[in-house]
Coordinates of all heavy atoms in Angstrom, one line a residue:
M1 N -8.6 21.1 -10.7 CA -8.4 20.0 -11.6 C -7.6 20.3 -12.8 O -6.8 19.6 -13.3 CB -9.8 19.4 -11.9 CG -9.8 18.2 -12.8 SD -9.1 16.8 -11.9 CE -9.5 15.6 -13.0
H7 N -0.1 20.6 -14.9 CA 1.2 20.1 -14.4 C 1.6 18.8 -15.0 O 2.8 18.6 -15.2 CB 1.1 20.0 -12.8 CG 1.0 21.3 -12.1 ND1 2.0 22.3 -12.2 CD2 0.1 21.9 -11.3 CE1 1.7 23.3 -11.5 NE2 0.5 23.1 -11.0
V18 N 14.0 15.7 -21.9 CA 15.2 15.2 -21.2 C 15.6 13.9 -21.9 O 16.8 13.7 -22.2 CB 15.0 15.0 -19.7 CG1 16.1 14.1 -19.1 CG2 14.9 16.3 -19.0
G21 N 17.1 14.6 -25.3 CA 18.5 15.2 -25.1 C 19.5 14.1 -24.8 O 20.6 14.1 -25.3
L22 N 19.1 13.2 -23.9 CA 20.0 12.1 -23.5 C 20.3 11.2 -24.7 O 21.4 10.7 -24.9 CB 19.4 11.3 -22.4 CG 19.4 11.9 -21.0 CD1 18.6 11.1 -20.0 CD2 20.8 12.1 -20.5
N23 N 19.2 10.9 -25.5 CA 19.4 10.0 -26.7 C 20.3 10.7 -27.7 O 21.2 10.1 -28.3 CB 18.1 9.6 -27.3 CG 17.4 8.6 -26.5 OD1 18.0 7.8 -25.7 ND2 16.1 8.5 -26.7
N26 N 23.9 10.7 -26.4 CA 24.4 9.3 -26.5 C 24.8 9.0 -27.9 O 25.8 8.3 -28.2 CB 23.3 8.3 -26.0 CG 23.8 6.9 -25.9 OD1 24.9 6.7 -25.4 ND2 23.0 6.0 -26.4
I29 N 28.1 10.7 -28.7 CA 29.2 10.0 -28.0 C 29.5 8.7 -28.8 O 30.7 8.4 -29.0 CB 28.9 9.7 -26.6 CG1 28.8 11.0 -25.8 CG2 29.9 8.7 -26.0 CD1 28.3 10.9 -24.4
N30 N 28.5 8.0 -29.3 CA 28.7 6.8 -30.1 C 29.5 7.1 -31.4 O 30.4 6.4 -31.8 CB 27.4 6.1 -30.4 CG 26.8 5.4 -29.3 OD1 27.4 5.2 -28.3 ND2 25.5 5.1 -29.4
L43 N 10.8 3.5 -26.9 CA 9.7 2.6 -27.0 C 9.3 2.4 -28.4 O 9.2 3.4 -29.2 CB 8.5 3.2 -26.2 CG 8.6 3.4 -24.7 CD1 7.4 4.1 -24.2 CD2 8.7 2.0 -24.0
V52 N 11.3 -2.2 -25.6 CA 11.7 -1.1 -24.8 C 13.2 -1.1 -24.7 O 13.8 -2.2 -24.4 CB 11.2 -1.3 -23.3 CG1 11.7 -0.2 -22.4 CG2 9.7 -1.3 -23.3
M67 N -1.0 -8.1 -21.0 CA -2.4 -8.3 -20.5 C -2.5 -9.1 -19.2 O -3.2 -8.8 -18.3 CB -3.3 -8.9 -21.6 CG -3.3 -8.0 -22.9 SD -3.9 -6.4 -22.6 CE -5.7 -6.7 -22.5
E68 N -1.7 -10.2 -19.2 CA -1.7 -11.0 -18.0 C -1.1 -10.2 -16.8 O -1.7 -10.3 -15.7 CB -0.8 -12.3 -18.2 CG -1.4 -13.2 -19.2 CD -0.5 -14.3 -19.6 OE1 0.7 -14.4 -19.1 OE2 -0.9 -15.2 -20.4
D69 N 0.0 -9.5 -17.0 CA 0.6 -8.7 -15.9 C -0.3 -7.6 -15.5 O -0.4 -7.3 -14.3 CB 1.9 -8.1 -16.4 CG 3.0 -9.2 -16.5 OD1 2.8 -10.3 -16.0 OD2 4.1 -8.9 -17.1
M70 N -1.0 -6.9 -16.4 CA -2.0 -5.9 -16.0 C -3.1 -6.4 -15.2 O -3.5 -5.8 -14.2 CB -2.5 -5.2 -17.3 CG -1.5 -4.3 -18.0 SD -0.8 -3.1 -17.0 CE -2.2 -2.0 -16.7
H72 N -2.8 -9.0 -13.2 CA -2.2 -9.3 -11.9 C -2.0 -8.0 -11.1 O -2.3 -8.0 -9.9 CB -0.8 -10.0 -12.1 CG -0.1 -10.3 -10.9 ND1 -0.5 -11.3 -10.0 CD2 1.1 -9.8 -10.4 CE1 0.3 -11.3 -9.0 NE2 1.3 -10.4 -9.2
V77 N -3.6 -4.1 -6.8 CA -4.0 -2.7 -6.4 C -5.4 -2.8 -5.7 O -5.6 -2.1 -4.7 CB -4.1 -1.8 -7.6 CG1 -4.8 -0.5 -7.3 CG2 -2.7 -1.5 -8.1
L80 N -4.9 -4.0 -2.2 CA -4.3 -2.9 -1.4 C -5.3 -1.9 -1.0 O -5.4 -1.4 0.1 CB -3.1 -2.3 -2.2 CG -2.4 -1.1 -1.5 CD1 -1.7 -1.6 -0.3 CD2 -1.5 -0.4 -2.5
R85 N -8.9 0.6 2.9 CA -10.2 1.0 3.4 C -10.5 0.4 4.7 O -11.1 1.1 5.6 CB -11.3 0.5 2.4 CG -11.5 1.5 1.3 CD -12.7 1.1 0.5 NE -12.6 1.6 -0.9 CZ -12.9 1.0 -1.9 NH1 -13.5 -0.2 -1.9 NH2 -12.8 1.6 -3.1
D90 N -11.2 1.5 10.3 CA -11.0 1.2 11.7 C -10.5 2.4 12.4 O -10.9 2.8 13.6 CB -10.0 0.1 11.9 CG -10.5 -1.3 11.5 OD1 -11.8 -1.4 11.3 OD2 -9.7 -2.2 11.2
D96 N -13.9 8.5 15.9 CA -15.2 8.8 16.2 C -15.5 8.5 17.7 O -16.2 9.2 18.4 CB -16.2 8.2 15.3 CG -16.2 8.8 13.9 OD1 -15.6 9.9 13.7 OD2 -16.7 8.1 13.0
S101 N -16.5 9.8 23.3 CA -16.1 9.6 24.7 C -15.6 10.8 25.4 O -15.8 11.1 26.6 CB -15.1 8.4 24.9 OG -13.9 8.8 24.2

Side-chain angles (χ1 to χ4, degrees):
M1 181 67 172
H7 288 301
V18 168
L22 287 172
N23 285 338
N26 186 45
I29 291 170
N30 286 343
L43 293 173
V52 179
M67 298 303 280
E68 291 169 1
D69 288 347
M70 288 304 290
H72 179 68
V77 168
L80 180 65
R85 274 194 205 136
D90 293 343
D96 290 343
S101 63

